[in-house]
Amino acid sequence: MKSKELSVDLRDRIVSWHKSGEGYRKLSAALKVPMTTVASIIRKWKKFKTTRTLPRAGRPSKLSDRGRRALVRDVTKNPMVTLSELHRSSVERGEPSRTTISSAIHQSGLYGRVARLKPLLSKRHLKDSQTMRNKLLWSDETKIELFGVNARRHVWRKPGTAHHQANTIPTVKHGGGSIMLWGCFSAAGTGRLVRIKGEMTAAMYRDILDENLLQSALDLRLGQRFIFQQDDDPKHTAKISKEWLHDNSVNVLEWPSQSPDFNPIENLWRHLKMAVHRRFPSNLMELERCCKEEWAKLAKGRCAKLVASYSKRFEALIAAKVASTKY
């Protein structure tokens, strides 16, 4: 049952006696007021300089302080718990509605958000990158548009000369087409770069490996026990591809499924595309030639730096338990 509120006169006497030096225990005994009440009145006077009942900000909360702490504790222990589950357990304890529960959780700084999807990564991958990164041969495919990056470019020209040949970029309808490339690289530099004709199948991928992988490892002096990296594209993991890798004794780096794009070759692809489009190839044959020439020009130092940064990015990825990181 709710206790009777003390009169203003009695509250003023408590403060007056306290100011004269009386202790809480003596005040409680003399005035027959619980010591906790005496302490509460004096705290209020010290904070607000009054013993009067202050106006409340709104309707009293239906959720007790104990219930609020229990909610925050439950959500902190299990971030995946739903509002419905919290409400059901609160009803059993005689606590209030979903809205009150949600508001209490928000006041503690916690908000419902969609959980991010994250591939399973392990420190075993980190260990591999630290001890064997110089033996790694990275690979990937990419598409390069004929008139992709250079579709918008600034020129210095005089008024009325917008359509002069020197001030225009040659284009064709639908962008002029594109080519697909497969390439590989290691800390020692770039390996082979191959144009993929048509839509690539598992058999075509097997042929690309057969004609280019071992030779690239030989050219880069990776030794017979090099480690090959490829993502989990179905063509890469097809039976025919796996058989070729097994028959040729190629060690394959275990790559996490649905992995984020932290393959360092992505950086090389961006650099290649910018370098190629600065040369303004006018057809797909020129585009292929420019790609191969610019790929061969990529500095060994750049490749080594990218491979060295791999373990740092992976370490940051695992430490933060997120699915993406910066190059």
Side-chain angles (χ1 to χ4, degrees):
M1 187 175 71
K2 188 174 180 181
S3 60
K4 186 177 179 181
E5 192 176 70
L6 298 183
S7 67
V8 174
D9 179 63
L10 183 53
R11 282 179 270 170
D12 287 342
R13 284 171 62 194
I14 291 172
V15 171
S16 178
W17 285 22
H18 171 72
K19 289 166 71 175
S20 65
E22 298 292 347
Y24 290 9
R25 190 180 300 277
K26 191 171 182 179
L27 279 169
S28 174
L31 299 173
K32 295 182 172 54
V33 176
M35 194 160 59
T36 54
T37 304
V38 171
S40 177
I41 290 170
I42 293 172
R43 279 199 307 271
K44 180 179 179 180
W45 172 77
K46 286 181 177 179
K47 185 174 182 179
F48 300 106
K49 301 303 179 187
T50 183
T51 61
R52 272 56 176 175
T53 302
L54 298 173
R56 296 190 177 185
R59 186 175 62 181
S61 175
K62 293 182 180 179
L63 188 63
S64 66
D65 289 341
R66 184 177 180 180
R68 191 184 306 273
R69 290 194 299 271
L71 273 175
V72 173
R73 186 167 59 249
D74 291 344
V75 173
T76 304
K77 276 185 178 179
N78 180 16
M80 298 289 183
V81 66
T82 66
L83 186 57
S84 296
E85 290 170 338
L86 288 171
H87 183 234
R88 279 197 297 271
S89 61
S90 296
V91 167
E92 293 170 2
R93 297 195 300 261
E95 298 291 359
S97 66
R98 291 166 58 101
T99 304
T100 303
I101 292 171
S102 178
S103 178
I105 295 172
H106 290 170
Q107 288 172 11
S108 70
L110 298 169
Y111 299 90
R113 297 290 185 267
V114 177
R116 300 291 178 89
L117 298 176
K118 182 182 78 68
L120 294 174
L121 303 174
S122 67
K123 290 188 177 180
R124 179 157 50 86
H125 294 100
L126 177 60
K127 181 180 178 182
D128 290 344
S129 69
Q130 289 173 329
T131 58
M132 303 179 184
R133 62 190 181 197
N134 290 334
K135 289 280 188 180
L136 276 168
L137 185 61
W138 302 86
S139 72
D140 196 16
E141 295 91 25
T142 192
K143 181 171 77 170
I144 298 189
E145 302 280 352
L146 181 58
F147 299 118
V149 174
N150 60 355
R152 182 181 177 90
R153 190 177 178 89
H154 290 87
V155 295
W156 297 103
R157 63 175 178 80
K158 293 180 179 180
T161 63
H163 297 287
H164 288 189
Q165 185 175 358
N167 299 330
T168 61
I169 298 173
T171 64
V172 295
K173 191 175 182 180
H174 306 305
S178 61
I179 61 173
M180 284 292 296
L181 299 171
W182 175 92
C184 61
F185 91 106
S186 75
T190 54
R192 293 204 171 177
L193 186 72
V194 182
R195 179 179 176 182
I196 302 167
K197 301 287 182 68
E199 184 176 351
M200 187 163 72
T201 63
M204 290 173 63
Y205 182 66
R206 187 270 318 271
D207 291 343
I208 287 174
L209 296 180
D210 190 48
E211 296 169 9
N212 300 278
L213 184 60
L214 298 181
Q215 187 59 50
S216 292
L218 182 64
D219 294 342
L220 295 169
R221 299 181 179 180
L222 299 182
Q224 292 184 346
R225 301 189 65 183
F226 74 93
I227 304 168
F228 179 53
Q229 181 277 333
Q230 60 178 2
D231 61 30
D232 62 344
D233 184 285
K235 293 180 287 296
H236 302 170
T237 57
K239 182 179 179 181
I240 191 172
S241 303
K242 286 183 176 180
E243 287 177 349
W244 186 92
L245 292 166
H246 178 267
D247 293 344
N248 287 274
S249 303
V250 176
N251 297 311
V252 180
L253 178 68
E254 185 181 344
W255 200 246
S257 61
Q258 300 177 341
S259 61
D261 289 333
F262 58 88
N263 185 339
I265 201 171
E266 298 294 339
N267 186 291
L268 291 188
W269 288 143
R270 287 195 294 271
H271 182 83
L272 175 68
K273 290 173 184 180
M274 288 189 292
V276 167
H277 288 123
R278 282 195 292 266
R279 294 178 58 171
F280 297 98
S282 59
N283 56 58
L284 296 183
M285 288 185 62
E286 283 189 21
L287 179 61
E288 180 182 356
R289 177 174 54 81
C290 290
C291 286
K292 291 183 176 179
E293 290 174 358
E294 294 298 330
W295 183 254
K297 290 179 186 177
L298 290 172
K300 293 181 180 180
R302 174 187 289 271
C303 296
K305 186 176 179 181
L306 283 174
V307 174
S309 69
Y310 162 71
S311 60
K312 295 178 183 178
R313 291 198 307 276
F314 213 153
E315 188 173 18
L317 194 68
I318 293 174
K321 295 184 179 179
V322 296
S324 60
T325 189
K326 291 183 178 180
Y327 283 101

